[in-house]
């Protein structure tokens, strides 16, 4: 029986409800902030207020996309979910190495040890800090793919191999940050060669990594889930462009492979002073989709059934 591993415990797919599949409510001070001041959200009260606005708009669950060792504040996310009643699906795995708090540790640690770390976070509990493991488990194994591929260097090669092995052993979905021009098809081959079914792979930001309708159709038809979060991000493309892509995918029979998220920074959260926030998809973008003749039943399916199918453990 398939299940979803929430931070509060395993849940049935039907319990997930409306779920945005790439969110950030907490990022600790560290390398992320040094790379961009927008990547810093440590205020529990503000982030909790944001989560309540999302819940009031109809949200029931979300993916916390901050992975192991990159400013993830899992103890805060756990407290927030207990207070608000929301479910969160959290990540182990890795982001791009420049975001990691201990890049030398990544370089020096072997593939087997990395695999064990990722598996332990999924099966035993996430580490709040070295030596302190929470009674809350990760439900996704994150990877970060650049245009240089899974073997961009020795560190990335072993990280990808470890993530693939951890997914194969636990059944946890592989959740992939896609940089611009990263090759999804080569990644898919790499994962399949290690026994990972395409239906257990989620590609994040693919709508801005490569805005190519034919390419997206090919990936979706291979069985992979595509997470779109270039919503209200005019520097990449307009909401109209985003909706055109979504409409194309639905017309091609790929609507069941689509997921939506907001991919917040502190510049995309109302509670931190932004003009819109985590609830934007439910309060605004949804109605733009409806105005473009994407039916409400399709929107609801993307936000519920698709999300549940993508986040479910598979063996």
């Amino acid at each position: 029986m398939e299940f979803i591993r929430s931070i509060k415990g395993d849940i049935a797919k039907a319990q997930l409800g409306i779920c945005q599949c790439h969110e950030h409510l907490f990022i600790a001070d560290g390398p992320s902030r040094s790379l961009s001041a927008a990547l810093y959200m440590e205020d529990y009260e503000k982030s909790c207020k944001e989560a309540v606005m999302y819940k009031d708009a109809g949200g029931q669950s979300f993916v916390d996309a901050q992975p192991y060792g990159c400013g993830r504040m899992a103890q805060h996310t756990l407290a927030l979910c207990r207070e608000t009643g929301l479910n969160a699906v959290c990540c182990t795995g890795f982001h791009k190495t420049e975001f990691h708090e201990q890049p030398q540790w990544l370089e020096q640690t072997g593939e087997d040890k990395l695999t064990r770390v990722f598996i332990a976070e999924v099966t035993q509990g996430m580490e709040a800090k070295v030596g302190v493991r929470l009674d809350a488990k990760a439900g996704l194994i994150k990877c970060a793919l650049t245009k240089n591929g899974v073997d961009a260097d020795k560190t990335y090669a072993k990280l990808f191999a470890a993530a693939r092995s951890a997914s194969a052993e636990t059944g946890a979905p592989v959740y992939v940050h896609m940089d611009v021009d990263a090759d999804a098809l080569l990644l898919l081959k790499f994962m399949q060669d290690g026994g990972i079914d395409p239906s257990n792979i989620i590609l994040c930001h693919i709508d801005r990594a490569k805005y190519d309708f034919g390419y997206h159709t090919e990936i979706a038809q291979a069985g992979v889930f595509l997470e779109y979060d270039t919503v209200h991000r005019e520097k990449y493309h307009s909401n109209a462009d985003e909706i055109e892509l979504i409409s194309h995918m639905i017309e091609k029979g790929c609507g069941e492979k689509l997921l939506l998220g907001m991919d917040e920074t502190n510049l995309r959260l109302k509670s931190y002073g932004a003009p819109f926030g985590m609830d934007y998809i439910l309060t605004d973008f949804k109605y733009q989709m409806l105005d473009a003749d994407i039916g409400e039943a399709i929107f609801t399916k993307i936000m519920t059934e698709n999300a549940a199918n993508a986040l479910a453990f598979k063996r």
Side-chain angles (χ1 to χ4, degrees), residues 17-224:
I18 291 175
C19 180
Q20 294 184 182
C21 287
H22 196 106
E23 314 307 317
H24 297 279
L25 283 173
F26 297 106
I27 304 177
D29 196 1
S32 295
R33 187 184 186 186
S34 68
L35 290 165
S36 171
L39 299 176
Y40 174 59
M41 298 91 81
E42 273 194 335
D43 190 309
Y44 178 81
E45 295 303 325
K46 287 182 179 179
S47 294
C48 196
K49 180 180 179 182
E50 192 75 34
V52 169
M53 286 188 281
Y54 171 65
K55 184 179 180 180
D56 287 347
Q60 294 163 279
S61 301
F62 65 95
V63 171
D64 172 26
Q66 205 65 22
Y68 175 84
C70 295
R72 183 187 65 190
M73 300 173 68
Q75 67 275 33
H76 285 60
T77 303
L78 178 59
L80 179 148
C81 287
R82 286 173 171 166
E83 182 172 342
T84 64
L86 292 168
N87 289 309
V89 181
C90 297
C91 295
T92 187
F94 67 95
H95 198 1
K96 292 192 290 185
T97 54
E98 58 262 39
F99 289 97
H100 206 279
E101 295 154 357
Q102 296 181 308
Q104 289 185 329
W105 181 83
L106 293 181
E107 294 170 6
Q108 296 166 4
T109 303
E111 178 187 325
D112 184 65
K113 172 64 174 176
L114 290 166
T115 303
R116 294 300 117 193
V117 167
F118 299 158
I119 289 173
E121 289 226 311
V122 171
T123 61
Q124 298 176 32
M126 292 179 284
E127 290 187 12
K129 57 183 178 180
V130 177
V132 178
R133 194 176 297 280
L134 299 174
D135 184 23
K137 300 170 184 176
L140 293 166
I141 300 172
K142 186 168 181 174
C143 308
L145 188 70
T146 71
K147 65 181 180 181
N148 297 317
V150 298
D151 55 355
D153 58 32
K154 291 181 180 179
T155 299
Y156 277 112
K158 65 185 178 181
L159 282 166
F160 271 102
R164 181 175 67 177
S165 296
S167 175
E169 182 163 329
T170 63
V174 177
Y175 186 77
V176 189
H177 163 93
M178 297 291 292
D179 255 11
V180 173
D181 293 329
D183 194 326
L185 295 173
L186 285 179
L187 171 75
L188 175 59
K189 182 180 185 306
F190 171 83
M191 289 296 172
Q192 287 182 297
D193 286 348
I196 307 302
D197 190 270
S199 67
N200 217 20
I201 300 170
I202 301 168
L203 302 182
C204 301
H205 329 304
I206 188 70
D207 48 336
R208 62 181 182 268
K210 191 167 184 177
Y211 187 79
D212 182 317
F213 291 15
Y215 185 69
H216 285 226
T217 303
E218 183 178 3
I219 296 166
Q221 289 175 343
V224 176

